[in-house]
Amino acid sequence: MARKILFQQAINEALDQEMARDSNVIVMGEDVIGGTGADGEMDAWGGVLGVTKGLYGKYGERIMDTPISESAFVGAAVGAAACGLRPVCELMFIDFLGVCFDQIYNQAAKFRYMFGGKAKTPIVIRTMIGAGFRAAAQHSQCLYPVFTHIPGLKVVIPSSPYEAKGLLIQAIRDDDPVIFCEHKALYAMEGEVPEESYTIPFGEANVVREGSDVTIVALARMVGFAEKAAAALAKDGISCEIIDPRTTSPLDEDTILESVENTGRLVVVDEASPRCGMAADIAALVAQKAFGALEAPIELVTPPHTPVPFSGVLEDLYIPGPARIEAAVRRIAEYA
Amino acid sequence: MARKILFQQAINEALDQEMARDSNVIVMGEDVIGGTGADGEMDAWGGVLGVTKGLYGKYGERIMDTPISESAFVGAAVGAAACGLRPVCELMFIDFLGVCFDQIYNQAAKFRYMFGGKAKTPIVIRTMIGAGFRAAAQHSQCLYPVFTHIPGLKVVIPSSPYEAKGLLIQAIRDDDPVIFCEHKALYAMEGEVPEESYTIPFGEANVVREGSDVTIVALARMVGFAEKAAAALAKDGISCEIIDPRTTSPLDEDTILESVENTGRLVVVDEASPRCGMAADIAALVAQKAFGALEAPIELVTPPHTPVPFSGVLEDLYIPGPARIEAAVRRIAEYA
Amino acid sequence: MALSREDLLEAYRRMKTIREFEERVHVEFAKGGIPGFVHLYAGEEASAAGVCMNLTDDDKIASTHRGHGHCIGKGVDVHGMMAEIFGKRTGTCRGKGGSMHIADLDTGMLGANGIVGGGPPLVCGAALAAKLKRTGGVAVAFFGDGASNQGTTFEAMNLATVWRLPAIFVAENNGYAEATAAKFSVSCEDISTRAAGFGMPGVTVDGHDFFAVYEAMREAVDRARNGGGPSLIEAKLDRFFGHFEGDNQNYRAPDEVKRIRAEKDCLQRFRARVASDIAAAELDAIDADVRKLIDDAVAQAIAAPDPLPEDLTTDVYIRY
Amino acid sequence: MALSREDLLEAYRRMKTIREFEERVHVEFAKGGIPGFVHLYAGEEASAAGVCMNLTDDDKIASTHRGHGHCIGKGVDVHGMMAEIFGKRTGTCRGKGGSMHIADLDTGMLGANGIVGGGPPLVCGAALAAKLKRTGGVAVAFFGDGASNQGTTFEAMNLATVWRLPAIFVAENNGYAEATAAKFSVSCEDISTRAAGFGMPGVTVDGHDFFAVYEAMREAVDRARNGGGPSLIEAKLDRFFGHFEGDNQNYRAPDEVKRIRAEKDCLQRFRARVASDIAAAELDAIDADVRKLIDDAVAQAIAAPDPLPEDLTTDVYIRY
Ligand SMILES: Cc1ncc(C[n+]2csc(CCOP(=O)(O)OP(=O)(O)O)c2C)c(N)n1
Ligand SMILES: Cc1ncc(C[n+]2csc(CCOP(=O)(O)OP(=O)(O)O)c2C)c(N)n1
Ligand SMILES: [Mg+2]
Ligand SMILES: [Mg+2]
């Protein structure tokens, strides 16, 4: 029987294996150890949700707590990357990008180009995304479209423990700056994960489910919701193909386009805000490059164009769920 | 004869008239006066390109130079807006949003929603966009898709002196936070502008040119390029309708959709980076809501997914120009 | 201005209300009734009260993720707050903000904030509005030791001096930013040391002592109202609970919280200090009042209706 | 370590090279050959040289928009720089960066920067790499008086102390950020005052005096290399030209630049100081060398080829 572990354990394992393999890999962030300078235990938190727990005991000075000054420590990670280290830097919630964005998109992302190819900045920024925790407007955003917009950045969004480990190892070994987005609602997801280290290449989508009537493209937590919807639709004889791009930059255009060539119908599901988001990005790709195959309007399933509300009843309405995906598929499955 | 003034004069006039009309309107930014604390002249610069020149003499303490600390002064503008002022705050180049983004998207944009409708933040952030000045990767970006992605923000992008004045006055009177994007290559553009004050409502596109074969949606500097392309195409009997949305948030969906209902063909031209950009956003809208009318693939005309290069020969290739627009129109005009 | 007897009773009432509110939220959270992230202010009451007793409704404050105490100190309605924390439609923010985003512009409370260091720039703006509108008002930024290292906080202090704003920066140094000790993360002994680099007076006071905070704040407010510009006050104090509800606090020494509760309780200290002027029974009566108030707030919050589905898409733009 | 005769000649050569480079870029810009925004360092040479004469190729610096002097000080090839400024394929960055983005990791130059305050965080990382790899290297952040108010700069100073990094912060206070006076924008008299708030030594030196900068830097480098953590050095100096080429400088007093050139020229001061040890003719010979070098660099830059169309899309990802 293959071993099963949690999504968050898969991330921990990826970090552990890469730190063991390459002494240039370092980890930094707020409370990634926890307890620095205090009178109680060290490694008290291991990250705000425990994801980096245990690394301090093994790697000592190669994992560092930071003051709350994201510009300084993200920038430090970028500078260290330019000087030969391979920092994995934690930006606790992606919502906080606003206090350190410059170091990411004007510095890390542009060094190589501005410097005529003479620099590399192999930094990974791990960060939590997504709603569902009643964490309200400043701790629930997705925001990866903002990073996807920036040339020079790679953006990775795992949807299962298996992808989490393989993609994170790839991210650490990758020589470009990578934004690694972890949906907090997936941390407790269990799945089969090989014990040995492995990589999943960027820009290769995962065909989560094969089908012939409608293509559903979904990311992160939405992949599971799409599977639920597809299972329900299958009972009514509607066959959905589900594609998880896994990385939004680079994007595996071919797998998406081929699927739409077969099905002629596309639903894009995205938890990010709708305007200039990933749903729009993928819809535009298909409207440009697979137009001839399209037999129905493209459906975009996203939250409304509002901040994330606190109240549970509102937040549950905010998040695109299986029912909305199912309805969208039905709408275009019937279109003629 | 109607009076003609430059784009940058139109902005100055809008500021002047609104400051005269409403004492709550204030202006702040780096060197919006210029010379503060120095031994030479005051109002030495009036903004880095002279756009705010002369306001200091008229409005004294209501226009303020700032230290280089965008988070502090953009945040101050937000706080002042929440307390009854109507600040027009200058973020010199949109490229600098990374050092103050939090105050814009987590604070200004979300107050009203997070606070249950009990706050308003009538702030305008004026900022320069666009390439063409050999200003390289950190002073030439468009980046408005990043703001358009954020619920709670309005994003305005004038393409002529007339729009600049009317949209800026609207922005100042608007009770929501507005990002006002000024393409620096348009500052020297001359056009007819009424002397009296007037507003152009947000979310109402301008049909720059009427036509029946292909719809071209373009923003800012791209509007003029689209006009050039359309003029050339007209000679070959291809009739283009050009739509300038003028505001990307809110977006006038109806005018775009109606046009495509008529033409059946769409080219979207955008100077912003392609991924999760405005071209994709508008293409997705049409693929979703006007699919039935579409007779050809949607063409997206954008720069490549790279930073903006310094060298003039490269930058000229980077910027989407009339020739690329023309080629895109021809491709889909001939599609059957 | 010396504190009158009424002022003292009012100060005690505010501190006690905060304490009771927080102890009760702790209990209700454990019961499962309260969603999301909740950061409790218990133990730090002397700071909120000492600061806010110097302010009027025209003055503004900006708060932090640990904002309940600042709200109550500034006079935000306790029923609305409790309902908000429960996510109900009757809440201060109609259930859309929650614990981390309570704001009430009518009482001059510009908002709790989920972003560490989010408040100080906003306060510059509030102070600027007061200055340009000549209201005589001041604006106060509360922030923690952790936030004292955030760039926004430094920038705001510089700007406040440069623009000579009636702004006051109150660093609440409770020794921790989450699980990280201030001893590690703050590069100088006292946060108030930093004031000199920003051209403003700085002082460190015992944040368990209402009177110490009150006096330091009084000076700063006088200076600000008289055009003397900003000040920095550091209050050294302790939190009774974890960083957020659910924190096991293993980074703290085993008996740390017990010792703090026993030796550094600002309410006990206040009682001792006023003992000669105010009968214990009078304070006990306030205690009883407050308990009733909080009981009532919790009961109402639990009974209150959820937001309506259509609330999801309102309040995002004034006009779109 | 005292400066040898060779060191002195080398220091002079670097300063003179910077001066000549900048005076020549000024001329070429006016002729129209140089595109974009160009910020000249002339007048500030003693800072770049005084700092960099303490550094080896293993040490790193991060620079600013006004970066030519730092590049030359650190040993970046002058021909490559000039070609880059002209936007040519033979440039340091193959014409893709321009004046504001010259970088050369081989000589430890982490890049000019178009973002004010962009460099100090990067320097923390370079210093961290040196520390963890135990190279004994140090990293230096150059920044202006304007940048001294940027949050990133403050945060970086705090982080450098907290992590005890071999980092040195060099504030080049030339009195202006664009057209805004430091007297207005910096909330304290000397930027070095801010060091105390970040737990590091701070000193202000005359930035027109190579020896003053050199000595302050020597102490700071010694401390850093020996595990003593970061330092802040403020060099007070002046720029000979406007903020950027095209600036009419009307915010300056009418005779300001003339006076500065006459009284505060670091090259003249250097010559006077070494007069007893080094013959003027020896320095004159360097002057002549340098002039030839720059003539040659300009000639080559003008003759060099533009980038190729395919260069537009290379160098953005290592592998996509
Ligand atoms: C920009 C940002 N970074 C990190 C966080 C996560 N976070 C929330 S509270 C906190 C600690 C704050 O410490 P301090 O300022 O001392 O306030 P205290 O919690 O002690 O009241 C952190 C790191 C955040 N909310 N925002
Ligand atoms: C974040 C950011 N804000 C503003 C600017 C525009 N700008 C470029 S240089 C400059 C002045 C910098 O002053 P200072 O740090 O003193 O350096 P100096 O030019 O005097 O060398 C400004 C405001 C910028 N490039 N980046
Ligand atoms: Mg704290
Ligand atoms: Mg300067």
Side-chain angles (χ1 to χ4, degrees):
Chain A
M1 241 328 283
R3 181 191 60 148
K4 286 193 169 186
I5 58 175
L6 303 182
F7 188 98
Q8 72 172 68
Q9 290 170 322
I11 291 170
N12 184 285
E13 191 167 281
L15 291 170
D16 190 356
Q17 291 180 351
E18 286 302 289
M19 290 184 89
R21 188 185 63 81
D22 180 352
S23 66
N24 286 320
V25 178
I26 61 168
V27 170
M28 61 174 76
E30 290 157 12
D31 292 305
V32 289
I33 306 171
T36 305
D39 297 332
E41 296 169 23
M42 273 299 268
D43 205 14
W45 279 19
V48 73
L49 295 182
V51 174
T52 48
K53 187 100 182 167
L55 299 177
Y56 174 70
K58 290 189 185 173
Y59 304 105
E61 69 173 9
R62 287 172 51 210
I63 176 165
M64 283 160 282
D65 279 342
T66 66
I68 305 176
S69 44
E70 285 84 359
S71 278
F73 72 76
V74 171
V78 175
C83 294
L85 294 178
R86 305 189 81 86
V88 180
C89 173
E90 182 173 313
L91 178 64
M92 196 184 295
F93 291 86
I94 202 168
D95 309 69
F96 305 162
L97 75 90
V99 297
C100 58
F101 194 27
D102 180 74
Q103 291 291 332
I104 301 172
Y105 81 95
N106 272 331
Q107 313 295 336
K110 295 186 173 50
F111 277 0
R112 186 164 180 74
Y113 195 81
M114 291 190 304
F115 301 165
K118 291 187 186 160
K120 62 178 187 184
T121 47
I123 173 186
V124 180
I125 299 181
R126 290 183 46 238
T127 187
M128 284 189 282
I129 60 168
F133 271 54
R134 319 315 186 202
Q138 293 174 342
H139 287 73
S140 307
Q141 297 168 83
C142 281
L143 291 176
Y144 42 75
V146 166
F147 290 116
T148 305
H149 181 63
I150 304 295
L153 296 180
K154 292 178 175 172
V155 182
V156 179
I157 311 177
S159 62
S160 75
Y162 175 80
E163 337 284 329
K165 180 172 172 182
L167 289 168
L168 182 51
I169 292 178
Q170 173 60 35
I172 294 170
R173 296 184 190 174
D174 202 280
D175 278 335
D176 289 309
V178 177
I179 312 296
F180 192 86
C181 302
E182 305 169 9
H183 198 299
K184 39 193 175 298
L186 297 179
Y187 276 160
M189 178 185 189
E190 210 184 36
E192 288 182 13
V193 177
E195 294 191 36
E196 67 278 9
S197 86
Y198 60 96
T199 60
I200 298 176
F202 292 169
E204 289 194 14
N206 181 31
V207 180
V208 178
R209 178 187 179 115
E210 299 196 345
S212 53
D213 295 330
V214 175
T215 301
I216 305 177
V217 179
L219 288 158
R221 191 184 185 197
M222 298 297 115
V223 175
F225 288 173
E227 287 185 87
K228 277 208 182 124
L233 289 157
K235 294 194 189 123
D236 293 344
I238 301 176
S239 162
C240 295
E241 178 144 301
I242 302 176
I243 296 175
D244 170 10
R246 299 198 287 209
T247 61
T248 62
S249 184
L251 180 69
D252 180 353
E253 301 191 351
D254 292 344
T255 300
I256 295 170
L257 294 172
E258 276 162 31
S259 177
V260 176
E261 297 285 350
N262 286 332
T263 62
R265 291 174 159 81
L266 175 65
V267 173
V268 196
V269 192
D270 190 20
E271 194 189 319
S273 290
R275 302 297 316 285
C276 297
M278 270 313 297
D281 187 80
I282 290 169
L285 168 75
V286 169
Q288 179 175 29
K289 298 194 180 162
F291 175 78
L294 270 182
E295 290 163 29
I298 298 174
E299 284 278 345
L300 314 186
V301 180
T302 70
H305 192 56
T306 72
V308 183
F310 168 62
S311 141
V313 298
L314 297 182
E315 194 183 30
D316 290 344
L317 284 172
Y318 174 90
I319 300 167
R324 287 191 52 211
I325 300 171
E326 206 184 306
V329 170
R330 282 187 200 281
R331 268 195 303 278
I332 57 167
E334 287 157 14
Y335 183 94
Chain B
M1 241 328 282
R3 181 190 59 148
K4 285 192 169 186
I5 57 175
L6 303 182
F7 188 98
Q8 71 173 69
Q9 290 170 322
I11 291 170
N12 185 286
E13 190 166 281
L15 290 169
D16 190 357
Q17 291 180 350
E18 286 303 289
M19 289 184 90
R21 189 187 61 83
D22 180 352
S23 66
N24 286 319
V25 177
I26 61 169
V27 169
M28 59 173 78
E30 289 157 13
D31 292 304
V32 289
I33 306 171
T36 305
D39 296 332
E41 296 168 25
M42 273 300 270
D43 205 16
W45 279 19
V48 71
L49 297 183
V51 174
T52 48
K53 186 102 181 166
L55 299 177
Y56 175 70
K58 291 188 185 174
Y59 304 106
E61 68 173 11
R62 287 171 51 209
I63 176 165
M64 281 159 284
D65 278 342
T66 65
I68 306 176
S69 43
E70 285 84 358
S71 278
F73 74 75
V74 170
V78 176
C83 294
L85 294 178
R86 306 189 81 86
V88 181
C89 173
E90 181 173 312
L91 178 64
M92 195 183 294
F93 292 86
I94 202 168
D95 310 69
F96 306 162
L97 76 89
V99 297
C100 60
F101 194 25
D102 181 73
Q103 291 291 331
I104 302 172
Y105 81 95
N106 272 332
Q107 314 294 336
K110 293 186 174 51
F111 277 0
R112 187 165 177 75
Y113 195 82
M114 290 192 304
F115 301 165
K118 291 186 187 161
K120 63 178 186 184
T121 48
I123 174 185
V124 180
I125 298 181
R126 288 184 47 239
T127 187
M128 283 189 283
I129 60 168
F133 272 54
R134 318 316 186 200
Q138 293 174 341
H139 287 73
S140 307
Q141 297 168 84
C142 281
L143 290 176
Y144 43 74
V146 166
F147 290 117
T148 305
H149 181 64
I150 305 294
L153 297 180
K154 291 177 174 171
V155 182
V156 178
I157 311 178
S159 61
S160 76
Y162 175 79
E163 337 284 327
K165 180 173 171 182
L167 289 169
L168 182 51
I169 293 178
Q170 174 61 35
I172 294 170
R173 296 185 189 173
D174 202 282
D175 279 335
D176 289 308
V178 178
I179 312 297
F180 191 87
C181 302
E182 304 169 10
H183 199 299
K184 38 195 176 300
L186 298 179
Y187 275 158
M189 177 185 191
E190 209 183 38
E192 288 183 12
V193 177
E195 294 191 36
E196 67 278 10
S197 86
Y198 60 96
T199 60
I200 298 176
F202 293 169
E204 289 193 13
N206 181 32
V207 181
V208 178
R209 177 186 178 116
E210 298 197 345
S212 54
D213 295 330
V214 175
T215 301
I216 305 178
V217 178
L219 288 159
R221 191 183 185 197
M222 299 297 115
V223 175
F225 288 174
E227 288 185 87
K228 277 207 182 124
L233 289 158
K235 294 191 190 128
D236 292 345
I238 301 175
S239 162
C240 295
E241 178 144 302
I242 302 177
I243 296 174
D244 170 9
R246 298 198 289 210
T247 60
T248 61
S249 185
L251 180 69
D252 180 352
E253 301 191 351
D254 292 344
T255 300
I256 296 170
L257 294 173
E258 275 162 32
S259 177
V260 176
E261 297 285 351
N262 287 331
T263 62
R265 290 172 158 81
L266 175 66
V267 173
V268 196
V269 192
D270 190 21
E271 193 188 321
S273 290
R275 302 298 316 285
C276 297
M278 270 314 296
D281 187 79
I282 289 169
L285 168 75
V286 169
Q288 180 175 30
K289 298 194 180 161
F291 175 78
L294 271 182
E295 289 163 29
I298 299 174
E299 284 278 346
L300 313 187
V301 181
T302 70
H305 191 56
T306 72
V308 182
F310 167 63
S311 142
V313 298
L314 296 183
E315 194 183 31
D316 290 345
L317 284 173
Y318 174 91
I319 299 168
R324 287 190 53 208
I325 300 171
E326 207 185 307
V329 170
R330 282 187 201 282
R331 268 195 302 277
I332 58 169
E334 287 158 15
Y335 183 95
Chain C
M1 146 192 121
L3 286 159
S4 70
R5 204 168 181 286
E6 284 64 46
D7 291 336
L8 291 174
L9 291 172
E10 176 60 20
Y12 181 80
R13 181 182 296 273
R14 292 194 201 175
M15 291 199 287
K16 183 70 189 180
T17 306
I18 298 170
R19 175 69 53 85
E20 195 69 26
F21 190 95
E22 296 296 62
E23 298 275 8
R24 187 62 180 272
V25 168
H26 178 71
V27 170
E28 298 298 328
F29 186 92
K31 284 194 208 158
I34 295 176
F37 294 129
V38 176
H39 308 80
L40 300 180
Y41 190 77
E44 309 188 8
E45 295 86 351
S47 171
V51 166
C52 294
M53 284 296 293
N54 282 285
L55 305 177
T56 75
D57 272 7
D58 284 343
D59 299 319
K60 315 288 182 196
I61 65 168
S63 171
T64 69
H65 56 286
R66 199 176 301 290
H68 306 167
H70 306 139
C71 290
I72 294 172
K74 195 68 174 62
V76 180
D77 173 57
V78 166
H79 282 84
M81 286 176 59
M82 191 65 83
E84 187 59 35
I85 292 168
F86 275 84
K88 297 305 181 70
R89 194 160 206 252
T90 53
T92 319
C93 307
R94 302 171 66 205
K96 288 171 146 174
S99 165
M100 258 192 297
H101 305 296
I102 299 178
D104 180 27
L105 280 90
D106 293 339
T107 53
M109 162 63 190
L110 294 177
N113 211 309
I115 302 299
V116 170
L122 300 170
V123 159
C124 288
L128 177 68
K131 183 178 173 177
L132 291 180
K133 287 170 170 279
R134 297 183 167 69
T135 65
V138 304
V140 181
F142 287 102
F143 58 101
D145 47 289
S148 82
N149 299 319
Q150 190 69 294
T152 51
T153 306
F154 298 117
E155 288 188 8
M157 288 197 281
N158 185 60
L159 184 64
T161 294
V162 167
W163 279 353
R164 211 173 176 80
L165 297 176
I168 297 151
F169 297 88
V170 178
E172 298 183 319
N173 184 347
N174 62 11
Y176 299 98
E178 292 186 353
T180 297
K183 261 184 292 182
F184 166 74
S185 76
V186 180
S187 55
C188 55
E189 188 68 25
D190 295 323
I191 293 171
S192 60
T193 312
R194 291 178 171 168
F198 297 102
M200 66 178 77
V203 61
T204 295
V205 300
D206 179 352
H208 308 95
D209 177 355
F210 166 81
F211 296 93
V213 175
Y214 180 84
E215 283 307 320
M217 183 66 185
R218 194 164 61 116
E219 260 189 51
V221 169
D222 278 355
R223 185 161 42 237
R225 290 207 206 283
N226 293 317
S231 311
L232 171 60
I233 298 170
E234 176 188 22
K236 291 204 160 145
L237 35 68
D238 294 277
R239 59 167 150 81
F240 283 2
F241 291 107
H243 171 65
F244 47 30
E245 290 305 275
D247 176 7
N248 67 8
Q249 302 192 65
N250 52 344
Y251 51 88
R252 298 181 97 161
D255 58 345
E256 190 176 310
V257 174
K258 217 173 88 192
R259 202 164 14 93
I260 288 166
R261 282 205 182 243
E263 296 167 16
K264 297 184 166 181
D265 183 331
C266 57
L267 285 163
Q268 284 170 25
R269 290 206 187 174
F270 186 95
R271 277 183 168 250
R273 170 81 177 261
V274 301
S276 52
D277 299 316
I278 299 178
E282 234 175 314
L283 299 176
D284 293 345
I286 291 179
D287 290 359
D289 269 12
V290 166
R291 206 160 306 126
K292 242 185 99 242
L293 173 74
I294 302 296
D295 281 346
D296 192 50
V298 171
Q300 285 196 23
I302 290 174
D306 280 326
L308 304 175
E310 55 265 38
D311 293 343
L312 176 61
T313 50
T314 58
D315 300 326
V316 57
Y317 293 97
I318 289 175
R319 207 180 45 228
Y320 202 104
Chain D
M1 143 192 119
L3 286 159
S4 69
R5 206 166 178 289
E6 284 65 46
D7 292 336
L8 291 174
L9 291 172
E10 174 61 20
Y12 181 80
R13 180 182 297 275
R14 292 195 201 175
M15 290 198 286
K16 184 71 190 177
T17 307
I18 298 171
R19 174 69 53 86
E20 195 69 28
F21 190 95
E22 297 296 62
E23 298 275 6
R24 186 62 180 271
V25 168
H26 178 72
V27 170
E28 297 299 327
F29 186 92
K31 285 195 206 156
I34 295 176
F37 293 130
V38 176
H39 308 81
L40 300 180
Y41 191 76
E44 309 189 9
E45 296 86 351
S47 172
V51 165
C52 294
M53 283 297 293
N54 283 284
L55 304 177
T56 75
D57 271 8
D58 284 343
D59 299 319
K60 316 288 182 197
I61 66 167
S63 172
T64 70
H65 56 287
R66 198 176 301 290
H68 306 167
H70 306 138
C71 289
I72 294 173
K74 194 68 174 60
V76 180
D77 173 57
V78 167
H79 282 84
M81 286 177 60
M82 192 64 84
E84 186 59 34
I85 292 169
F86 275 83
K88 298 304 181 71
R89 193 159 206 253
T90 53
T92 320
C93 308
R94 303 172 64 205
K96 289 171 146 175
S99 166
M100 259 191 296
H101 305 296
I102 299 179
D104 181 28
L105 279 91
D106 293 339
T107 53
M109 162 64 192
L110 293 176
N113 212 308
I115 303 300
V116 170
L122 301 170
V123 159
C124 288
L128 177 67
K131 183 178 172 176
L132 291 181
K133 288 170 170 277
R134 296 185 168 69
T135 65
V138 304
V140 181
F142 288 102
F143 59 101
D145 47 288
S148 82
N149 299 318
Q150 190 69 295
T152 50
T153 306
F154 298 118
E155 288 188 8
M157 288 197 280
N158 185 61
L159 184 64
T161 293
V162 166
W163 280 352
R164 212 174 174 81
L165 297 176
I168 297 153
F169 297 88
V170 178
E172 297 184 318
N173 184 348
N174 60 9
Y176 299 98
E178 292 186 352
T180 297
K183 263 184 291 181
F184 165 74
S185 76
V186 179
S187 55
C188 55
E189 188 68 24
D190 295 323
I191 294 171
S192 60
T193 313
R194 291 178 171 166
F198 297 102
M200 66 178 77
V203 63
T204 295
V205 299
D206 179 352
H208 309 94
D209 178 355
F210 166 81
F211 297 93
V213 176
Y214 180 84
E215 283 306 320
M217 184 67 184
R218 193 165 62 116
E219 260 189 49
V221 170
D222 278 355
R223 186 161 41 239
R225 291 207 205 281
N226 294 317
S231 311
L232 171 60
I233 299 171
E234 176 188 23
K236 289 203 162 147
L237 36 67
D238 293 278
R239 57 167 152 83
F240 282 3
F241 291 106
H243 170 65
F244 46 31
E245 289 307 274
D247 176 7
N248 68 6
Q249 304 191 62
N250 52 346
Y251 50 89
R252 299 181 96 160
D255 57 345
E256 189 176 311
V257 173
K258 217 173 85 190
R259 202 165 11 92
I260 289 166
R261 283 204 182 242
E263 296 168 15
K264 297 185 166 179
D265 184 332
C266 57
L267 285 163
Q268 285 171 24
R269 290 207 187 172
F270 186 94
R271 276 182 170 252
R273 170 80 177 261
V274 301
S276 53
D277 300 316
I278 301 178
E282 232 175 317
L283 299 176
D284 292 346
I286 291 179
D287 290 359
D289 268 14
V290 165
R291 207 161 303 127
K292 243 186 96 240
L293 174 74
I294 302 296
D295 281 346
D296 192 51
V298 170
Q300 285 196 23
I302 289 174
D306 280 327
L308 305 175
E310 55 264 39
D311 294 343
L312 176 61
T313 49
T314 56
D315 300 326
V316 56
Y317 292 97
I318 289 175
R319 209 180 43 230
Y320 200 101

